[in-house]
Amino acid sequence: MTTIFSGVKPTGHLTLGNYLGAVRRWAEEDQHRADALFCVVDLHALTMQHDPARVRRLSRQAATLLLAAGLDPEQCTVFVQSHVDEHARLSYLLECTATDGEMRRMIQYKEKSAQAKEAGDSVRLSLLTYPALMAADILAYGTDEVPVGEDQTQHVELARDLAVRFNQRYGHTFVVPKATAPTVAARVMDLQDPTSKMGKSHAEGAGIIYLLDEPDAVRKKVMRAVTDSGRDVVYDRAASPGVANLLEVLGSCTGQPPGKLAEGYDSYGALKKDTAEAVVELLHPLQERHAALVADPGYLTTVLRGGAARAREMARPTVDAAYRAIGLLEP
Ligand code: AQP
């Protein structure tokens, strides 16, 4: 059976980008067709300046939203990364497999280390090494597929390279995984700056739709989205990034190709109105389920404990095999 692993970082409130790029597929397709694990990757939230209480709060909120989005603990394994020691155990072996140069080439490292320096913060060593931890997250489970948004493909490529290198040096140990991205909305852009990704760790702003935004807040953000100076509704990411982004969001919500949708509009206003309503409708059931789950916090705790126990059991044989293969004595 295919094994699927993916995760979400508790670095902010989950956004429409997280949902359309990743979480919706996990719930609607992946959990039903594979042995699937979905994880709140809390260790990854420690690579930049962080507030411990906020990370704890956001970790529970992210896990609650995964369930609200439709992940069913009877169908898949939902857990928190730091509850399963195998991730950190394997990460060190992968740091011993990766090179300094390939870590420094990671786009997110370049961008975020520049951001930290600009803010006058020191750059944490973990910001450089965390792709090895992400590779460990993936490889520990014999993962075949990693359903992610486009921004994460470089990290999954690194996990592939490390798996291949480790297998060549020490004997076959890891399955070589591949990233899968959705055909539409693989990179949802910020509504106010359609040349940059809608990211949950970015400063809160009118360009980011959060999954728990009230309907009126969603409408306001979409109606104020930056479009282009022209008038024609065309699907052209390079020439009209704002309009293309709205068409992708609408296309993803309604299951129609963005290029085809463009033919049905002759004004930006009508496109925005339909996009806003489609997003409100898409989020409504998720928000209702979220409210019900929040009313029963014990349920989430039970799900996460069960998920961690199962994940540990799944990861241990592969991580133990990697320890033996690389030359470490059995205890
Ligand atoms: N805008 C997006 N469009 C499509 N997919 C997206 N994803 C994130 N943003 C978009 C996908 O959602 C999954 C979880 O994301 P994450 O928690 O790894 O990262 P993030 O939401 O992008 O949060 P940050 O903290 O703002 O991260 P940085 O700044 O590091 O990108 C992933 O599958 C991701 O691809």
PDB file of all heavy atoms in Angstrom, residues 6-9 11 15 17-18 21-22 26 108 112 130 147-152 185-189 197-202, ligand 1:
ATOM      1  N   SER A   6       2.595  13.990   5.389  1.00  0.00           N
ATOM      2  CA  SER A   6       2.734  15.432   5.190  1.00  0.00           C
ATOM      3  C   SER A   6       2.492  16.141   6.518  1.00  0.00           C
ATOM      4  O   SER A   6       2.023  15.518   7.479  1.00  0.00           O
ATOM      5  CB  SER A   6       1.777  15.933   4.104  1.00  0.00           C
ATOM      6  OG  SER A   6       2.256  17.152   3.572  1.00  0.00           O
ATOM      7  N   GLY A   7       2.824  17.428   6.559  1.00  0.00           N
ATOM      8  CA  GLY A   7       2.697  18.124   7.839  1.00  0.00           C
ATOM      9  C   GLY A   7       2.435  19.609   7.675  1.00  0.00           C
ATOM     10  O   GLY A   7       2.510  20.165   6.574  1.00  0.00           O
ATOM     11  N   VAL A   8       2.139  20.211   8.800  1.00  0.00           N
ATOM     12  CA  VAL A   8       1.881  21.644   8.817  1.00  0.00           C
ATOM     13  C   VAL A   8       2.570  22.227  10.056  1.00  0.00           C
ATOM     14  O   VAL A   8       2.571  21.621  11.124  1.00  0.00           O
ATOM     15  CB  VAL A   8       0.345  21.887   8.774  1.00  0.00           C
ATOM     16  CG1 VAL A   8      -0.384  21.302   9.959  1.00  0.00           C
ATOM     17  CG2 VAL A   8       0.017  23.339   8.615  1.00  0.00           C
ATOM     18  N   LYS A   9       3.221  23.394   9.859  1.00  0.00           N
ATOM     19  CA  LYS A   9       3.991  24.013  10.958  1.00  0.00           C
ATOM     20  C   LYS A   9       3.109  24.925  11.796  1.00  0.00           C
ATOM     21  O   LYS A   9       2.397  25.751  11.217  1.00  0.00           O
ATOM     22  CB  LYS A   9       5.059  24.954  10.382  1.00  0.00           C
ATOM     23  CG  LYS A   9       6.207  24.332   9.717  1.00  0.00           C
ATOM     24  CD  LYS A   9       7.327  25.360   9.539  1.00  0.00           C
ATOM     25  CE  LYS A   9       7.110  26.341   8.411  1.00  0.00           C
ATOM     26  NZ  LYS A   9       7.628  25.958   7.124  1.00  0.00           N
ATOM     27  N   THR A  11       3.269  27.808  12.946  1.00  0.00           N
ATOM     28  CA  THR A  11       3.935  29.112  12.968  1.00  0.00           C
ATOM     29  C   THR A  11       2.942  30.262  12.810  1.00  0.00           C
ATOM     30  O   THR A  11       3.352  31.419  12.704  1.00  0.00           O
ATOM     31  CB  THR A  11       4.965  29.212  11.820  1.00  0.00           C
ATOM     32  OG1 THR A  11       4.358  28.668  10.637  1.00  0.00           O
ATOM     33  CG2 THR A  11       6.226  28.455  12.130  1.00  0.00           C
ATOM     34  N   THR A  15      -3.995  29.025   6.831  1.00  0.00           N
ATOM     35  CA  THR A  15      -4.552  29.913   5.801  1.00  0.00           C
ATOM     36  C   THR A  15      -5.243  29.117   4.689  1.00  0.00           C
ATOM     37  O   THR A  15      -5.102  27.891   4.594  1.00  0.00           O
ATOM     38  CB  THR A  15      -3.431  30.727   5.123  1.00  0.00           C
ATOM     39  OG1 THR A  15      -2.660  29.824   4.314  1.00  0.00           O
ATOM     40  CG2 THR A  15      -2.521  31.415   6.129  1.00  0.00           C
ATOM     41  N   GLY A  17      -4.239  29.125   1.771  1.00  0.00           N
ATOM     42  CA  GLY A  17      -3.143  28.503   1.018  1.00  0.00           C
ATOM     43  C   GLY A  17      -2.851  27.109   1.544  1.00  0.00           C
ATOM     44  O   GLY A  17      -2.715  26.160   0.775  1.00  0.00           O
ATOM     45  N   ASN A  18      -2.776  26.965   2.863  1.00  0.00           N
ATOM     46  CA  ASN A  18      -2.541  25.638   3.461  1.00  0.00           C
ATOM     47  C   ASN A  18      -3.652  24.677   3.053  1.00  0.00           C
ATOM     48  O   ASN A  18      -3.406  23.507   2.749  1.00  0.00           O
ATOM     49  CB  ASN A  18      -2.512  25.707   4.993  1.00  0.00           C
ATOM     50  CG  ASN A  18      -1.389  26.557   5.537  1.00  0.00           C
ATOM     51  OD1 ASN A  18      -1.603  27.445   6.343  1.00  0.00           O
ATOM     52  ND2 ASN A  18      -0.178  26.319   5.086  1.00  0.00           N
ATOM     53  N   GLY A  21      -3.684  24.185  -0.973  1.00  0.00           N
ATOM     54  CA  GLY A  21      -2.436  23.588  -1.450  1.00  0.00           C
ATOM     55  C   GLY A  21      -2.191  22.199  -0.886  1.00  0.00           C
ATOM     56  O   GLY A  21      -1.536  21.373  -1.515  1.00  0.00           O
ATOM     57  N   ALA A  22      -2.710  21.936   0.309  1.00  0.00           N
ATOM     58  CA  ALA A  22      -2.338  20.680   0.950  1.00  0.00           C
ATOM     59  C   ALA A  22      -3.503  20.002   1.682  1.00  0.00           C
ATOM     60  O   ALA A  22      -3.938  18.921   1.303  1.00  0.00           O
ATOM     61  CB  ALA A  22      -1.185  20.953   1.929  1.00  0.00           C
ATOM     62  N   TRP A  26      -5.472  16.080   1.560  1.00  0.00           N
ATOM     63  CA  TRP A  26      -5.239  15.043   2.576  1.00  0.00           C
ATOM     64  C   TRP A  26      -6.580  14.452   3.015  1.00  0.00           C
ATOM     65  O   TRP A  26      -6.712  13.240   3.174  1.00  0.00           O
ATOM     66  CB  TRP A  26      -4.553  15.614   3.822  1.00  0.00           C
ATOM     67  CG  TRP A  26      -3.262  16.336   3.589  1.00  0.00           C
ATOM     68  CD1 TRP A  26      -2.529  16.381   2.433  1.00  0.00           C
ATOM     69  CD2 TRP A  26      -2.543  17.126   4.551  1.00  0.00           C
ATOM     70  NE1 TRP A  26      -1.415  17.151   2.625  1.00  0.00           N
ATOM     71  CE2 TRP A  26      -1.395  17.622   3.905  1.00  0.00           C
ATOM     72  CE3 TRP A  26      -2.764  17.476   5.888  1.00  0.00           C
ATOM     73  CZ2 TRP A  26      -0.466  18.440   4.561  1.00  0.00           C
ATOM     74  CZ3 TRP A  26      -1.841  18.281   6.540  1.00  0.00           C
ATOM     75  CH2 TRP A  26      -0.708  18.757   5.874  1.00  0.00           C
ATOM     76  N   GLN A 108      14.268  28.664   1.254  1.00  0.00           N
ATOM     77  CA  GLN A 108      13.688  29.167   2.503  1.00  0.00           C
ATOM     78  C   GLN A 108      14.773  29.591   3.483  1.00  0.00           C
ATOM     79  O   GLN A 108      14.585  30.522   4.250  1.00  0.00           O
ATOM     80  CB  GLN A 108      12.768  28.116   3.121  1.00  0.00           C
ATOM     81  CG  GLN A 108      11.520  27.931   2.277  1.00  0.00           C
ATOM     82  CD  GLN A 108      10.331  27.432   3.085  1.00  0.00           C
ATOM     83  OE1 GLN A 108      10.416  27.256   4.296  1.00  0.00           O
ATOM     84  NE2 GLN A 108       9.224  27.209   2.416  1.00  0.00           N
ATOM     85  N   LYS A 112      14.682  33.295   4.844  1.00  0.00           N
ATOM     86  CA  LYS A 112      14.408  33.501   6.277  1.00  0.00           C
ATOM     87  C   LYS A 112      15.634  33.960   7.045  1.00  0.00           C
ATOM     88  O   LYS A 112      15.498  34.691   8.025  1.00  0.00           O
ATOM     89  CB  LYS A 112      13.817  32.238   6.887  1.00  0.00           C
ATOM     90  CG  LYS A 112      12.451  31.971   6.299  1.00  0.00           C
ATOM     91  CD  LYS A 112      11.593  31.160   7.196  1.00  0.00           C
ATOM     92  CE  LYS A 112      10.165  31.249   6.695  1.00  0.00           C
ATOM     93  NZ  LYS A 112       9.238  30.488   7.469  1.00  0.00           N
ATOM     94  N   TYR A 130      17.071  22.410   9.398  1.00  0.00           N
ATOM     95  CA  TYR A 130      15.747  21.801   9.506  1.00  0.00           C
ATOM     96  C   TYR A 130      15.313  20.977   8.282  1.00  0.00           C
ATOM     97  O   TYR A 130      14.541  20.026   8.435  1.00  0.00           O
ATOM     98  CB  TYR A 130      14.686  22.821   9.954  1.00  0.00           C
ATOM     99  CG  TYR A 130      13.853  23.460   8.888  1.00  0.00           C
ATOM    100  CD1 TYR A 130      12.694  22.831   8.415  1.00  0.00           C
ATOM    101  CD2 TYR A 130      14.178  24.700   8.361  1.00  0.00           C
ATOM    102  CE1 TYR A 130      11.919  23.425   7.440  1.00  0.00           C
ATOM    103  CE2 TYR A 130      13.404  25.303   7.393  1.00  0.00           C
ATOM    104  CZ  TYR A 130      12.285  24.661   6.927  1.00  0.00           C
ATOM    105  OH  TYR A 130      11.529  25.243   5.955  1.00  0.00           O
ATOM    106  N   PRO A 147       2.248  14.927  -0.213  1.00  0.00           N
ATOM    107  CA  PRO A 147       1.390  15.943  -0.819  1.00  0.00           C
ATOM    108  C   PRO A 147       1.622  17.311  -0.177  1.00  0.00           C
ATOM    109  O   PRO A 147       1.307  17.515   1.000  1.00  0.00           O
ATOM    110  CB  PRO A 147      -0.034  15.434  -0.528  1.00  0.00           C
ATOM    111  CG  PRO A 147       0.104  14.503   0.638  1.00  0.00           C
ATOM    112  CD  PRO A 147       1.519  14.017   0.683  1.00  0.00           C
ATOM    113  N   VAL A 148       2.199  18.236  -0.953  1.00  0.00           N
ATOM    114  CA  VAL A 148       2.556  19.564  -0.432  1.00  0.00           C
ATOM    115  C   VAL A 148       2.238  20.621  -1.468  1.00  0.00           C
ATOM    116  O   VAL A 148       2.027  20.326  -2.642  1.00  0.00           O
ATOM    117  CB  VAL A 148       4.084  19.653  -0.129  1.00  0.00           C
ATOM    118  CG1 VAL A 148       4.447  18.948   1.161  1.00  0.00           C
ATOM    119  CG2 VAL A 148       4.922  19.132  -1.282  1.00  0.00           C
ATOM    120  N   GLY A 149       2.229  21.883  -1.035  1.00  0.00           N
ATOM    121  CA  GLY A 149       2.152  23.001  -1.967  1.00  0.00           C
ATOM    122  C   GLY A 149       3.501  23.145  -2.660  1.00  0.00           C
ATOM    123  O   GLY A 149       4.496  22.530  -2.260  1.00  0.00           O
ATOM    124  N   GLU A 150       3.507  24.002  -3.690  1.00  0.00           N
ATOM    125  CA  GLU A 150       4.705  24.130  -4.538  1.00  0.00           C
ATOM    126  C   GLU A 150       5.942  24.587  -3.750  1.00  0.00           C
ATOM    127  O   GLU A 150       7.064  24.198  -4.064  1.00  0.00           O
ATOM    128  CB  GLU A 150       4.364  25.175  -5.600  1.00  0.00           C
ATOM    129  CG  GLU A 150       5.066  25.078  -6.897  1.00  0.00           C
ATOM    130  CD  GLU A 150       4.518  26.177  -7.801  1.00  0.00           C
ATOM    131  OE1 GLU A 150       4.978  27.335  -7.668  1.00  0.00           O
ATOM    132  OE2 GLU A 150       3.624  25.876  -8.611  1.00  0.00           O
ATOM    133  N   ASP A 151       5.709  25.403  -2.698  1.00  0.00           N
ATOM    134  CA  ASP A 151       6.852  25.973  -1.966  1.00  0.00           C
ATOM    135  C   ASP A 151       7.694  24.904  -1.270  1.00  0.00           C
ATOM    136  O   ASP A 151       8.823  25.173  -0.881  1.00  0.00           O
ATOM    137  CB  ASP A 151       6.351  26.991  -0.932  1.00  0.00           C
ATOM    138  CG  ASP A 151       5.399  26.364   0.077  1.00  0.00           C
ATOM    139  OD1 ASP A 151       4.463  25.669  -0.340  1.00  0.00           O
ATOM    140  OD2 ASP A 151       5.605  26.571   1.288  1.00  0.00           O
ATOM    141  N   GLN A 152       7.139  23.722  -1.067  1.00  0.00           N
ATOM    142  CA  GLN A 152       7.876  22.698  -0.321  1.00  0.00           C
ATOM    143  C   GLN A 152       8.578  21.687  -1.224  1.00  0.00           C
ATOM    144  O   GLN A 152       9.222  20.768  -0.728  1.00  0.00           O
ATOM    145  CB  GLN A 152       6.932  21.955   0.637  1.00  0.00           C
ATOM    146  CG  GLN A 152       6.518  22.784   1.840  1.00  0.00           C
ATOM    147  CD  GLN A 152       7.702  23.152   2.731  1.00  0.00           C
ATOM    148  OE1 GLN A 152       8.751  22.505   2.704  1.00  0.00           O
ATOM    149  NE2 GLN A 152       7.560  24.204   3.517  1.00  0.00           N
ATOM    150  N   ALA A 185      -3.995  25.879  -7.680  1.00  0.00           N
ATOM    151  CA  ALA A 185      -3.764  26.442  -6.339  1.00  0.00           C
ATOM    152  C   ALA A 185      -2.615  25.767  -5.595  1.00  0.00           C
ATOM    153  O   ALA A 185      -2.662  25.606  -4.388  1.00  0.00           O
ATOM    154  CB  ALA A 185      -5.043  26.415  -5.490  1.00  0.00           C
ATOM    155  N   ALA A 186      -1.579  25.412  -6.330  1.00  0.00           N
ATOM    156  CA  ALA A 186      -0.390  24.830  -5.693  1.00  0.00           C
ATOM    157  C   ALA A 186       0.400  25.916  -4.969  1.00  0.00           C
ATOM    158  O   ALA A 186       1.232  25.631  -4.112  1.00  0.00           O
ATOM    159  CB  ALA A 186       0.495  24.160  -6.726  1.00  0.00           C
ATOM    160  N   ARG A 187       0.170  27.167  -5.345  1.00  0.00           N
ATOM    161  CA  ARG A 187       0.810  28.291  -4.651  1.00  0.00           C
ATOM    162  C   ARG A 187      -0.193  29.443  -4.624  1.00  0.00           C
ATOM    163  O   ARG A 187      -0.268  30.240  -5.573  1.00  0.00           O
ATOM    164  CB  ARG A 187       2.093  28.711  -5.378  1.00  0.00           C
ATOM    165  CG  ARG A 187       2.873  29.815  -4.646  1.00  0.00           C
ATOM    166  CD  ARG A 187       4.061  30.271  -5.466  1.00  0.00           C
ATOM    167  NE  ARG A 187       5.150  29.317  -5.445  1.00  0.00           N
ATOM    168  CZ  ARG A 187       6.189  29.385  -4.607  1.00  0.00           C
ATOM    169  NH1 ARG A 187       6.293  30.350  -3.738  1.00  0.00           N
ATOM    170  NH2 ARG A 187       7.143  28.487  -4.667  1.00  0.00           N
ATOM    171  N   VAL A 188      -0.972  29.502  -3.572  1.00  0.00           N
ATOM    172  CA  VAL A 188      -1.945  30.592  -3.434  1.00  0.00           C
ATOM    173  C   VAL A 188      -1.168  31.836  -3.017  1.00  0.00           C
ATOM    174  O   VAL A 188      -0.335  31.784  -2.108  1.00  0.00           O
ATOM    175  CB  VAL A 188      -3.023  30.246  -2.375  1.00  0.00           C
ATOM    176  CG1 VAL A 188      -3.990  31.405  -2.190  1.00  0.00           C
ATOM    177  CG2 VAL A 188      -3.772  28.980  -2.780  1.00  0.00           C
ATOM    178  N   MET A 189      -1.419  32.939  -3.713  1.00  0.00           N
ATOM    179  CA  MET A 189      -0.639  34.147  -3.468  1.00  0.00           C
ATOM    180  C   MET A 189      -1.363  35.092  -2.512  1.00  0.00           C
ATOM    181  O   MET A 189      -2.595  35.038  -2.378  1.00  0.00           O
ATOM    182  CB  MET A 189      -0.358  34.860  -4.800  1.00  0.00           C
ATOM    183  CG  MET A 189       0.261  33.956  -5.856  1.00  0.00           C
ATOM    184  SD  MET A 189       1.721  33.079  -5.281  1.00  0.00           S
ATOM    185  CE  MET A 189       3.008  34.141  -5.877  1.00  0.00           C
ATOM    186  N   LYS A 197       3.834  34.490  -1.806  1.00  0.00           N
ATOM    187  CA  LYS A 197       2.977  33.418  -1.300  1.00  0.00           C
ATOM    188  C   LYS A 197       2.130  33.870  -0.120  1.00  0.00           C
ATOM    189  O   LYS A 197       2.590  34.659   0.698  1.00  0.00           O
ATOM    190  CB  LYS A 197       3.900  32.272  -0.853  1.00  0.00           C
ATOM    191  CG  LYS A 197       3.230  30.988  -0.526  1.00  0.00           C
ATOM    192  CD  LYS A 197       4.221  30.025   0.131  1.00  0.00           C
ATOM    193  CE  LYS A 197       4.277  30.233   1.630  1.00  0.00           C
ATOM    194  NZ  LYS A 197       4.979  29.176   2.367  1.00  0.00           N
ATOM    195  N   MET A 198       0.900  33.377  -0.051  1.00  0.00           N
ATOM    196  CA  MET A 198       0.089  33.610   1.148  1.00  0.00           C
ATOM    197  C   MET A 198       0.685  32.709   2.237  1.00  0.00           C
ATOM    198  O   MET A 198       0.583  31.484   2.148  1.00  0.00           O
ATOM    199  CB  MET A 198      -1.369  33.241   0.860  1.00  0.00           C
ATOM    200  CG  MET A 198      -2.321  33.550   2.002  1.00  0.00           C
ATOM    201  SD  MET A 198      -4.020  32.989   1.667  1.00  0.00           S
ATOM    202  CE  MET A 198      -4.630  34.230   0.544  1.00  0.00           C
ATOM    203  N   GLY A 199       1.337  33.306   3.223  1.00  0.00           N
ATOM    204  CA  GLY A 199       2.052  32.484   4.227  1.00  0.00           C
ATOM    205  C   GLY A 199       1.524  32.773   5.623  1.00  0.00           C
ATOM    206  O   GLY A 199       1.303  33.929   5.972  1.00  0.00           O
ATOM    207  N   LYS A 200       1.369  31.734   6.421  1.00  0.00           N
ATOM    208  CA  LYS A 200       0.755  31.948   7.738  1.00  0.00           C
ATOM    209  C   LYS A 200       1.677  32.642   8.723  1.00  0.00           C
ATOM    210  O   LYS A 200       1.219  33.219   9.691  1.00  0.00           O
ATOM    211  CB  LYS A 200       0.222  30.632   8.305  1.00  0.00           C
ATOM    212  CG  LYS A 200       1.274  29.663   8.798  1.00  0.00           C
ATOM    213  CD  LYS A 200       0.598  28.529   9.506  1.00  0.00           C
ATOM    214  CE  LYS A 200       0.918  27.207   8.852  1.00  0.00           C
ATOM    215  NZ  LYS A 200       2.363  26.931   8.694  1.00  0.00           N
ATOM    216  N   SER A 201       3.003  32.585   8.465  1.00  0.00           N
ATOM    217  CA  SER A 201       3.903  33.253   9.407  1.00  0.00           C
ATOM    218  C   SER A 201       4.157  34.710   9.019  1.00  0.00           C
ATOM    219  O   SER A 201       4.864  35.418   9.718  1.00  0.00           O
ATOM    220  CB  SER A 201       5.227  32.499   9.497  1.00  0.00           C
ATOM    221  OG  SER A 201       5.895  32.574   8.255  1.00  0.00           O
ATOM    222  N   HIS A 202       3.581  35.145   7.893  1.00  0.00           N
ATOM    223  CA  HIS A 202       3.782  36.538   7.491  1.00  0.00           C
ATOM    224  C   HIS A 202       2.961  37.445   8.407  1.00  0.00           C
ATOM    225  O   HIS A 202       1.995  36.998   9.032  1.00  0.00           O
ATOM    226  CB  HIS A 202       3.350  36.754   6.033  1.00  0.00           C
ATOM    227  CG  HIS A 202       4.070  35.850   5.074  1.00  0.00           C
ATOM    228  ND1 HIS A 202       3.831  35.831   3.724  1.00  0.00           N
ATOM    229  CD2 HIS A 202       5.022  34.908   5.296  1.00  0.00           C
ATOM    230  CE1 HIS A 202       4.607  34.918   3.151  1.00  0.00           C
ATOM    231  NE2 HIS A 202       5.336  34.346   4.090  1.00  0.00           N
TER     232      HIS A 202
HETATM  233  N1  AQP B   1       0.184  29.820  -0.193  1.00  0.00           N
HETATM  234  C1  AQP B   1       0.179  28.502  -0.298  1.00  0.00           C
HETATM  235  N2  AQP B   1      -0.346  27.901  -1.379  1.00  0.00           N
HETATM  236  C2  AQP B   1      -0.360  26.548  -1.512  1.00  0.00           C
HETATM  237  N3  AQP B   1       0.111  25.709  -0.560  1.00  0.00           N
HETATM  238  C3  AQP B   1       0.627  26.263   0.549  1.00  0.00           C
HETATM  239  N4  AQP B   1       1.170  25.732   1.657  1.00  0.00           N
HETATM  240  C4  AQP B   1       1.555  26.731   2.482  1.00  0.00           C
HETATM  241  N5  AQP B   1       1.264  27.921   1.950  1.00  0.00           N
HETATM  242  C5  AQP B   1       0.690  27.674   0.742  1.00  0.00           C
HETATM  243  C6  AQP B   1       1.291  24.305   1.906  1.00  0.00           C
HETATM  244  O1  AQP B   1       0.672  24.015   3.148  1.00  0.00           O
HETATM  245  C7  AQP B   1       1.402  22.977   3.806  1.00  0.00           C
HETATM  246  C8  AQP B   1       1.769  23.401   5.196  1.00  0.00           C
HETATM  247  O2  AQP B   1       2.531  24.597   5.110  1.00  0.00           O
HETATM  248  P1  AQP B   1       3.672  24.944   6.139  1.00  0.00           P
HETATM  249  O3  AQP B   1       3.118  24.896   7.491  1.00  0.00           O
HETATM  250  O4  AQP B   1       4.871  24.107   5.874  1.00  0.00           O
HETATM  251  O5  AQP B   1       4.134  26.386   5.705  1.00  0.00           O
HETATM  252  P2  AQP B   1       3.409  27.809   5.574  1.00  0.00           P
HETATM  253  O6  AQP B   1       1.956  27.759   5.770  1.00  0.00           O
HETATM  254  O7  AQP B   1       3.938  28.402   4.343  1.00  0.00           O
HETATM  255  O8  AQP B   1       3.916  28.526   6.875  1.00  0.00           O
HETATM  256  P3  AQP B   1       5.050  29.511   7.073  1.00  0.00           P
HETATM  257  O9  AQP B   1       5.487  29.403   8.484  1.00  0.00           O
HETATM  258  O10 AQP B   1       4.627  30.863   6.550  1.00  0.00           O
HETATM  259  O11 AQP B   1       6.140  28.875   6.208  1.00  0.00           O
HETATM  260  P4  AQP B   1       7.182  29.409   5.224  1.00  0.00           P
HETATM  261  O12 AQP B   1       7.279  30.901   5.445  1.00  0.00           O
HETATM  262  O13 AQP B   1       8.364  28.632   5.674  1.00  0.00           O
HETATM  263  O14 AQP B   1       6.725  29.025   3.860  1.00  0.00           O
HETATM  264  C9  AQP B   1       2.632  22.698   2.949  1.00  0.00           C
HETATM  265  O15 AQP B   1       2.374  21.565   2.144  1.00  0.00           O
HETATM  266  C10 AQP B   1       2.748  23.921   2.091  1.00  0.00           C
HETATM  267  O16 AQP B   1       3.368  23.647   0.849  1.00  0.00           O
END
